[in-house]
Amino acid sequence: MNATGTPAVAWELLDGGVKGIAKKYSQDRGRALTTADGRAVVLAVADGHGSRAHFRSDLGARWAVEAFTASAGIYAQEVVRRGQDAANWPRLLAEARSLPQQVVHAWRRRVLMHEANSPAHGGNGGAAPGGKAGATTGSAARPGARSAPEADLAVYGSTLIGAVITERLLVCWQLGDGDIVLVDPDGTTRMPFYTGPDMGDETESLCEPEAWRKARLHWQPLTGGPPPGVLISTDGLSKSFADHEGFLAFATGVRSRAASHGVAAVQAQLPDWLGHAAKYSGDDATLAGAIPAAGPGAAPAHPHTDTH
């Protein structure tokens, strides 16, 4: 029960990923988990860039998911604790805006720790071909000595998408490509960050300087009915469809099949679905999702949406 005496929303989770058909191993990572005694969900997916210049991006994606779920888990507990009172929403919104910087700093610390023990370029410094300039390790140079080589953060480059869901608030963040689809109980779909077809391979990345400034935020109070189902995925999934409408139909189908057959049945089929996607797109495909286990006859939510 929540603070108002009504039953709290429960969620059932989806989580799966497959490697691209021609790839040696996957550069994607994903995770779906509940926290705050089941009253909040944290979702995250990350897509390592995978090219020659980003040859440790599988590690970058793994640490991106770890950094996000750690920070977002703390934030989710705060949302559950304070989010019932709308008077607390401005403060929670400010904390949501600051979360990407926390995540990026945690990710960089993990990358630099790895670099200190196992330099990507054998301790010789310099970026790999096509790489981007990274931050310094912070080591102090001795007088007369050569300055410490820069850590090449580009070799760990990754995108990151995450979400925190409670019965009163939905908060999403995105840095780089990939997709977030919100699916209402009636099958209506919305993509808060969608701006049109992806026209190239360039994407924003955690390895860029002050990457948190490029993170997008979707803040959505939920003022009635169950929250939407939330599906987040790396771009290998949406690229497998012939058009945008096909991808949205897939998202609607996931929710409708969960309603008719149960989320466990959808989870069991997810590897096959993602496998077909990876075959057509050639890319890794990873999905994390949360479907609210609303009671029969629940009305769809009518939220006020504020996308920043």
Side-chain angles (χ1 to χ4, degrees), residues 234-292:
T234 56
D235 68 336
L237 179 56
S238 60
K239 287 193 303 187
S240 70
F241 292 88
D243 53 37
H244 183 61
E245 288 69 27
F247 176 57
L248 293 181
F250 167 81
T252 299
V254 168
R255 173 137 195 184
S256 64
R257 189 164 184 83
S260 60
H261 293 77
V263 173
V266 175
Q267 178 65 49
Q269 288 188 286
L270 193 57
D272 287 339
W273 294 345
L274 295 177
H276 284 299
K279 178 180 177 181
Y280 284 105
S281 72
D283 199 1
D284 309 325
T286 298
L287 179 145
I291 308 295

Side-chain angles (χ1 to χ4, degrees), residues 20-41:
I21 193 70
K23 292 196 172 185
K24 194 171 182 178
Y25 54 90
S26 177
Q27 302 289 328
D28 284 2
R29 291 294 185 273
R31 193 176 181 195
L33 59 94
T34 59
T35 187
D37 297 323
R39 296 178 62 190
V41 169

Side-chain angles (χ1 to χ4, degrees), residues 41-67:
V41 169
V42 175
L43 305 175
V45 297
D47 183 358
H49 302 328
S51 68
R52 183 181 171 214
H54 311 288
F55 60 88
R56 288 180 171 177
S57 63
D58 60 319
L59 297 177
R62 185 213 305 175
W63 295 331
V65 168
E66 289 177 358

